[in-house]
Amino acid sequence: MTGSLTVIGLGPGDPRWLTPAATAALDAATDLVGYGPYVGRVAERAGLVRHASDNRVELDRARHALDLAAAGRAVAVVSGGDPGVFAMAAAVFEALEDARPEWASVDIRVEPGITAVLAAAAKLGAPLGGDFAVMSLSDNLKPWDVVTRRLEAALAADFVVALYNPISKARPWQLGEALKLAGRHRAADAPVAFARAIGRADEAIRVLPLAEAEMAATTADMATLVLIGASGTRTVGGADGRRFLYTPRSVGRMP
Amino acid sequence: MTGSLTVIGLGPGDPRWLTPAATAALDAATDLVGYGPYVGRVAERAGLVRHASDNRVELDRARHALDLAAAGRAVAVVSGGDPGVFAMAAAVFEALEDARPEWASVDIRVEPGITAVLAAAAKLGAPLGGDFAVMSLSDNLKPWDVVTRRLEAALAADFVVALYNPISKARPWQLGEALKLAGRHRAADAPVAFARAIGRADEAIRVLPLAEAEMAATTADMATLVLIGASGTRTVGGADGRRFLYTPRSVGRMP
């Protein structure tokens, strides 16, 4: 008897952003595997076994999910946002490289979700109107010089840059360093957005000039998506004094 | 009487990927504005006025939508995928720069959607497991040398690269040129995915070695999302001989 493994994106947290396909996949599951807070977002029901784990054991969690599926269970591996963006999907395929014979017939699928950068952009206006780069600022899985080299390349080529995992207790200085580096490629008043917990009760959005953002780096946390504008990114006024952040679609010749 | 304007992402086409928030926004609309095929995706109902236009008049369409909202209508501007990614949201804010007094009190919102690169990635496996760059290959709104400079920067820094708008009748050679350029930064057998019409009846996915992809460039079309792997992007086998494309999360020191 062979089971299935579906890696599911729960979106940023607002249930109105959970796709019907993701809901259907959750409804069909017998087992729920994931980081505790994400498992906690899915309603309990009879027949659904919950396997919550901490945040640091992605490969073990992926192997556990494959084992459950190989034993005939319908396993849902849950991630916040989109499971393919700095989340569980890659870990599942990395685990699959072990090629254990009992995993060979597991039916594996991925259900996409609204990832943080799309949710943040929608709340801000349209900051992704031009080309953009999406990076994890964590140096847990890649050397810091790879992070800075990529960041410099994206900034120099005038991409909008979205930073996931900008800061944590174990990585307190990296965001400040990244924003300092941004200062070499952007004006001091270039807009930087800190979009925290988008779609959740404690949602908080700030747009700061780059120079201020660098000073405020330590006020970000792991729930914050940081967006560094391109040279053309600007604000425009809306109703009730609101300012929208957007990047014009057209680009002139670059300097 | 002041109305509202909501820019809504319809996702890639599969209705199971339309978020409940987008559905609610569509249900609340009195007027539907957008490119014909996207307007066509929304079911007709009494009380919903449809304003379909062709694909080349984004700013006019945005102004029309703002005028309707200023006249008190509840306007839904629809885009495929996510409205902030090479779609209508930026055009609305560009139009708003005109600051016409009658637009000043229009309530503007953006509803995110599953953008093509997330849907394609989910169908392929987890090719976005590392850092990635998202670009429009169209040189309608930016000079071709900006396109190539950004593409080279992203490839050299070993981002996975997603190309929107890869080819059209008016732009027949740009994708071939872009893949040729990729050959300077990636091995000839580096995986390139052509993911066409994801989530729709005519969905078609191919993963080709870069050298073959370059030869096959003209088989892509405007409905195709092209994904160029990073140096680490690889395939792993699943059930029934299926191969998944994924990018390992860990990166070693770069050359």
Side-chain angles (χ1 to χ4, degrees), chain B residues 3-7 31-34 51 57-78 88 91-92 95 100 103 106-108:
Chain B
S4 62
L5 189 166
T6 307
V7 195
D31 293 73
L32 205 55
V33 172
H51 309 263
V57 288
E58 284 96 347
L59 268 184
D60 287 346
R61 195 189 294 153
R63 289 186 193 110
H64 181 215
L66 284 163
D67 283 339
L68 287 166
R73 310 290 293 178
V75 182
V77 175
V78 289
M88 279 302 294
V92 167
R100 296 188 193 166
W103 294 346
V106 172
D107 180 24
I108 302 176

Side-chain angles (χ1 to χ4, degrees), chain A residues 15-21 58-59 82 84-86 89-91 93-94 96-97 104-106 108 110-115 118 122 125-126 128-136 141-143 145-146 149-150 153-154 156-159 234-239 242 244 246-255, chain B residues 15-21 58-59 82 84-86 89-91 93-94 96-97 104-106 108 110-115 118 122 125-126 128-136 141-143 145-146 149-150 153-154 156-159 234-239 242 244 246-255:
Chain A
R16 298 173 314 139
W17 282 339
L18 182 68
T19 69
E58 285 95 347
L59 269 184
D82 180 89
V85 178
F86 312 122
F93 296 110
E94 279 172 47
L96 201 62
E97 293 273 12
S105 56
V106 171
I108 302 176
V110 180
E111 267 304 333
I114 302 289
T115 187
L118 297 186
L128 307 179
D131 303 318
F132 61 99
V134 178
M135 298 184 56
S136 170
L141 295 167
K142 61 193 172 209
D145 74 296
V146 171
R149 186 165 151 186
R150 288 183 178 171
D158 207 18
F159 284 93
R234 48 184 281 119
T235 61
V236 62
R242 190 172 166 200
F244 294 101
Y246 85 102
T247 303
R249 300 163 304 147
S250 293
V251 175
R253 209 149 284 278
M254 279 166 77
Chain B
R16 297 174 315 140
W17 283 340
L18 183 69
T19 69
E58 284 96 347
L59 268 184
D82 180 90
V85 178
F86 312 122
F93 296 110
E94 279 173 46
L96 201 63
E97 293 273 13
S105 56
V106 172
I108 302 176
V110 180
E111 267 304 334
I114 302 289
T115 187
L118 297 186
L128 307 179
D131 302 319
F132 61 97
V134 178
M135 298 184 54
S136 170
L141 295 167
K142 61 193 172 211
D145 75 296
V146 171
R149 187 165 150 186
R150 288 184 178 171
D158 207 17
F159 283 94
R234 46 183 282 118
T235 61
V236 62
R242 189 171 165 201
F244 294 101
Y246 85 101
T247 303
R249 298 163 306 147
S250 293
V251 175
R253 210 148 284 279
M254 279 166 79

Side-chain angles (χ1 to χ4, degrees), chain A residues 89-179:
Chain A
V92 166
F93 296 110
E94 279 172 47
L96 201 62
E97 293 273 12
D98 283 357
R100 297 188 192 166
E102 67 270 26
W103 294 346
S105 56
V106 171
D107 180 24
I108 302 176
R109 291 167 199 270
V110 180
E111 267 304 333
I114 302 289
T115 187
V117 68
L118 297 186
K123 292 273 181 163
L124 286 159
L128 307 179
D131 303 318
F132 61 99
V134 178
M135 298 184 56
S136 170
L137 206 61
S138 170
D139 52 355
N140 288 337
L141 295 167
K142 61 193 172 209
W144 180 244
D145 74 296
V146 171
V147 177
T148 55
R149 186 165 151 186
R150 288 183 178 171
L151 182 56
E152 287 246 43
L155 290 164
D158 207 18
F159 284 93
V160 174
V161 178
L163 302 175
Y164 283 62
N165 307 320
I167 199 165
S168 73
K169 283 199 180 111
R171 299 181 291 101
W173 54 264
Q174 282 82 343
L175 178 60
E177 200 66 27
L179 292 172

